[in-house]
């Protein structure tokens, strides 16, 4: 996080800058509010520290201008003794805090750290919201080239354009919430609100108030907040009977097409039960006008290796170490594992594999065995022909080598001892393109 220091006195600018730099901050200084405004725009990655009394644009005017373009930007005011009432008013306008001269430098550092942490959280949340509203980004997150994933992406693109309500079903950890966000983001409602609520997170009375009103703190009921957009109901199987009736009434009272689209997500139901057994029939048929079934990971073939590689690479970058190299035996075990926790379980194992590799101990095999002790056998009973295991490992090996050498065909040929023609044929066979690694 940067700290922008605005003060017309050069000595004060330099003094604050030097102190904060010693505390580990990157600083930039401006002699006037006008100069600062030219450089500080929305999503500025940091905090502003400004004196109040300055010629031309004073600190309070600068604060108002900054708040107008980014209300989440932390602005710390430096005031004289007589300016305290004005500084308090400035905090009402949106200032993060104020320091009265002469101030303790350690107090400045503490404020800068707290404001920076808040700013980082604000920017992270904004980035997440942008990501969740970008259909192209979300579709790229649905990694895999298996027929099951190709079909899932096609279903999302098709149903995203429709106005009918959608039911998303599938085992835990298969990415149902991501699919719901993608359905909203690729359709005509993408610019409208996506409101998400878990039906299992609240008691019946509180959930009813949040959904239909009167909502706590005089907030809009969620069915109204989502009007024009999408209301996503996670854990729909946990919706109490009385609220199922109210939801059905709300759906039936809507116009055609509905102003509020409902996406219902089923996260679990008892063995041998279907969602139709859990919900009242009339509500089930209204919600299941269109249905998406997220495939279990064990049914996705070599997607398992692709996902494991991507996740381990991301964690390796995050932890500043090398990703583990998957052996042929480990690749076969990854492909044969039952994956009761699906993608969520694979992500956890990939992170632990990277941490193990950083310590120079452990194996993917031991992680799989430990992870499945409580959930059943480590090998799936759904056998595959040997040819499938060989091809999946071969694809993973070429993919890993291409990534490591950043698309250098010559380096990959040398490491894998393959002539160029053979490498080209295998890359074409497995749908690998050199441009993806440059």
């Amino acid at each position: 996080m940067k700290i922008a220091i605005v003060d017309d006195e050069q000595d004060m600018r330099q003094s604050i800058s030097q102190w904060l730099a010693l505390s580990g901050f990157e600083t930039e200084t401006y002699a006037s509010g006008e100069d600062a405004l030219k450089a500080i725009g929305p999503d500025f990655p940091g905090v502003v520290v400004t004196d109040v009394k300055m010629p031309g644009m004073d600190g309070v005017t600068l604060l108002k201008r900054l708040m107008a373009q980014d209300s989440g930007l932390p602005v710390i005011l430096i005031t004289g003794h007589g300016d305290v009432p004005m500084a308090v008013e400035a905090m009402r306008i949106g200032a993060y805090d104020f320091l009265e001269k002469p101030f303790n430098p350690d107090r400045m550092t503490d404020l800068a750290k707290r404001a920076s942490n808040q700013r980082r959280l604000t920017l992270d949340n904004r980035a997440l919201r942008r990501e969740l509203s970008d259909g192209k980004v979300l579709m790229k997150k649905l990694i895999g080239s298996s027929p099951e994933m190709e079909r899932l992406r096609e279903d999302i693109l098709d149903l995203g354009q429709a106005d009918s309500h959608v039911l998303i079903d599938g085992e835990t950890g298969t990415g149902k919430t991501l699919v719901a966000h993608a359905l909203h983001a690729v359709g005509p409602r993408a610019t409208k609100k996506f409101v998400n609520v878990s039906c299992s997170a609240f008691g019946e009375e509180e959930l009813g108030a949040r959904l239909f009103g009167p909502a706590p703190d005089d907030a809009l009921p969620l069915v109204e907040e989502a009007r024009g957009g999408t209301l996503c109901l996670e854990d729909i199987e946990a919706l109490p009977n009385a609220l199922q009736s109210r939801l059905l009434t709300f759906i039936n009272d809507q116009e055609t097409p509905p102003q509020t689209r409902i996406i219902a997500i089923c996260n679990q139901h008892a063995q041998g039960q279907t969602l139709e057994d859990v919900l009242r029939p009339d509500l089930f048929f209204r919600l299941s006008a269109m249905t998406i079934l997220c495939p279990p990971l064990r049914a996705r073939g070599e997607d398992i290796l692709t996902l494991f590689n991507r996740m381990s690479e991301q964690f390796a970058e995050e932890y500043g170490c090398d990703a583990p190299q998957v052996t042929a035996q480990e690749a076969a075990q990854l492909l044969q594992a039952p994956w009761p926790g699906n993608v969520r379980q694979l992500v956890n194992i990939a992170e632990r594999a990277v941490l193990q590799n950083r310590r120079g101990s452990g194996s993917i095999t031991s992680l799989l065995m430990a992870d499945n002790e409580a959930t059943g056998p480590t090998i799936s009973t759904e056998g595959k022909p040997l040819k499938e295991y060989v091809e999946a490992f071969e694809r993973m090996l070429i993919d890993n080598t291409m990534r490591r050498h950043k698309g250098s065909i010559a380096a990959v040929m040398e490491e894998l001892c393959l002539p160029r023609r053979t490498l080209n044929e295998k890359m074409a066979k497995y749908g690998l393109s050199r441009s993806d690694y440059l």
Side-chain angles (χ1 to χ4, degrees):
M1 292 284 105
K2 296 180 179 179
I3 307 291
I5 301 159
V6 190
D7 199 306
D8 62 306
E9 296 182 15
Q10 183 176 1
D11 290 345
M12 181 62 79
R13 288 199 307 272
Q14 290 180 344
S15 176
I16 296 174
S17 177
Q18 288 171 2
W19 179 260
L20 291 175
L22 288 172
S23 301
F25 290 100
E26 178 184 348
T27 63
E28 47 192 47
T29 61
Y30 303 95
S32 69
E34 291 85 354
D35 289 343
L37 273 177
K38 293 175 184 176
I40 301 171
D43 293 330
F44 174 72
V47 176
V48 176
V49 176
T50 179
D51 193 15
V52 170
K53 290 294 181 69
M54 295 186 293
M57 182 184 295
D58 64 19
V60 176
T61 303
L62 175 61
L63 168 68
K64 291 177 179 177
R65 295 281 295 276
L66 291 172
M67 290 297 98
Q69 66 181 19
D70 187 342
S71 61
L73 176 65
V75 179
I76 299 169
L77 299 176
I78 299 175
T79 72
H81 178 68
D83 298 327
V84 172
M86 176 272 299
V88 172
E89 174 64 16
M91 290 189 68
R92 187 190 64 78
I93 296 170
Y96 180 79
D97 210 330
F98 67 92
L99 288 165
E100 185 180 358
K101 297 176 183 177
F103 55 84
N104 185 334
D106 289 329
R107 165 74 173 151
M108 164 75 77
T109 301
D110 180 60
L111 268 182
K113 286 179 179 177
R114 288 194 285 116
S116 293
N117 289 335
Q118 177 178 303
R119 184 59 170 169
R120 184 176 291 109
L121 182 62
T122 297
L123 295 179
D124 286 347
N125 287 338
R126 283 182 188 172
L128 178 61
R129 284 198 297 272
R130 289 189 189 111
E131 189 174 284
L132 292 176
S133 65
D134 188 331
K136 291 181 180 178
V137 171
L138 287 173
M139 293 298 279
K140 286 180 181 178
K141 283 182 172 289
L142 296 168
I143 298 170
S145 56
S146 62
E148 290 80 6
M149 288 305 291
E150 294 286 0
R151 185 161 51 250
L152 177 62
R153 285 191 288 265
E154 289 172 3
D155 286 345
I156 291 170
L157 291 172
D158 287 343
L159 302 191
Q161 300 300 315
D163 282 309
S164 298
H165 308 303
V166 180
L167 173 64
I168 303 175
D169 203 354
E171 295 180 10
T172 182
T174 50
K176 297 185 290 294
T177 302
L178 176 61
V179 169
H181 279 285
L183 273 170
H184 175 79
V186 300
R189 298 174 188 257
T191 58
K192 306 297 182 180
K193 273 202 169 184
F194 180 94
V195 178
N196 194 336
V197 62
S198 170
C199 298
S200 64
F202 307 98
E204 180 174 348
E205 185 176 342
E206 184 178 359
L207 180 61
R210 286 177 178 273
L211 283 172
F212 305 106
D217 305 323
D218 296 323
L220 272 177
L222 296 182
V223 292
E224 292 299 326
E225 186 181 345
R227 189 171 292 276
T230 301
L231 175 62
C232 179
L233 299 174
E234 295 207 48
D235 308 305
I236 188 67
E237 71 279 3
L239 191 67
N241 287 333
L243 297 184
Q244 288 188 35
S245 177
R246 293 183 69 179
L247 179 62
L248 180 64
T249 300
F250 171 76
I251 291 173
N252 289 335
D253 287 346
Q254 290 199 90
E255 302 169 356
T256 303
Q259 287 186 294
T260 303
R261 188 186 200 187
I262 307 292
I263 296 180
I265 297 177
C266 176
N267 278 317
Q268 58 183 356
H269 35 70
Q271 188 73 26
Q273 267 192 331
T274 66
L275 188 56
E276 190 173 358
D277 299 322
V278 178
L279 295 180
R280 51 183 291 169
D282 42 6
L283 177 62
F284 171 78
F285 287 115
R286 292 305 303 268
L287 292 177
S288 63
M290 296 184 176
T291 303
I292 287 182
L293 180 63
C294 293
L297 183 59
R298 61 183 172 276
R300 292 173 53 186
E302 67 182 54
D303 284 356
I304 295 169
L305 298 182
T306 301
L307 277 164
F308 186 85
N309 284 331
R310 297 283 179 86
M311 294 301 106
S312 58
E313 284 174 2
Q314 288 180 19
F315 285 122
E317 184 176 349
E318 181 179 335
Y319 290 115
C321 60
D322 293 329
Q325 296 300 308
V326 182
T327 67
Q329 179 184 2
E330 288 170 335
Q333 289 168 339
L334 287 167
L335 288 167
Q336 288 180 288
W339 299 111
N342 292 289
V343 177
R344 192 176 299 135
Q345 181 188 4
L346 180 144
V347 170
N348 292 337
I349 287 184
E351 181 173 16
R352 284 151 56 197
V354 168
L355 292 172
Q356 276 191 167
N357 194 57
R358 186 172 68 169
R359 294 194 305 267
S361 63
S363 67
I364 295 170
T365 301
S366 63
L367 289 175
L368 282 170
M369 292 178 66
D371 216 50
N372 287 286
E373 272 182 2
T375 55
T378 57
I379 302 299
S380 169
T381 57
E382 300 175 12
K384 300 180 181 68
L386 176 64
K387 181 172 180 287
E388 286 190 24
Y389 292 120
V390 172
E391 289 181 347
F393 178 71
E394 191 172 61
R395 185 189 190 282
M396 181 200 71
L397 196 60
I398 295 172
D399 180 53
N400 281 350
T401 311
M402 288 291 290
R403 288 185 185 281
R404 196 163 55 254
H405 293 296
K406 296 181 171 56
S408 171
I409 295 294
V412 174
M413 289 166 52
E414 181 178 355
E415 180 172 334
L416 298 181
C417 301
L418 286 175
R420 188 181 190 97
R421 180 176 176 181
T422 303
L423 178 59
N424 288 343
E425 288 173 349
K426 290 186 179 296
M427 288 181 66
K429 175 182 178 180
Y430 299 130
L432 302 175
S433 173
R434 178 173 177 267
S435 62
D436 294 334
Y437 304 96
L438 298 176

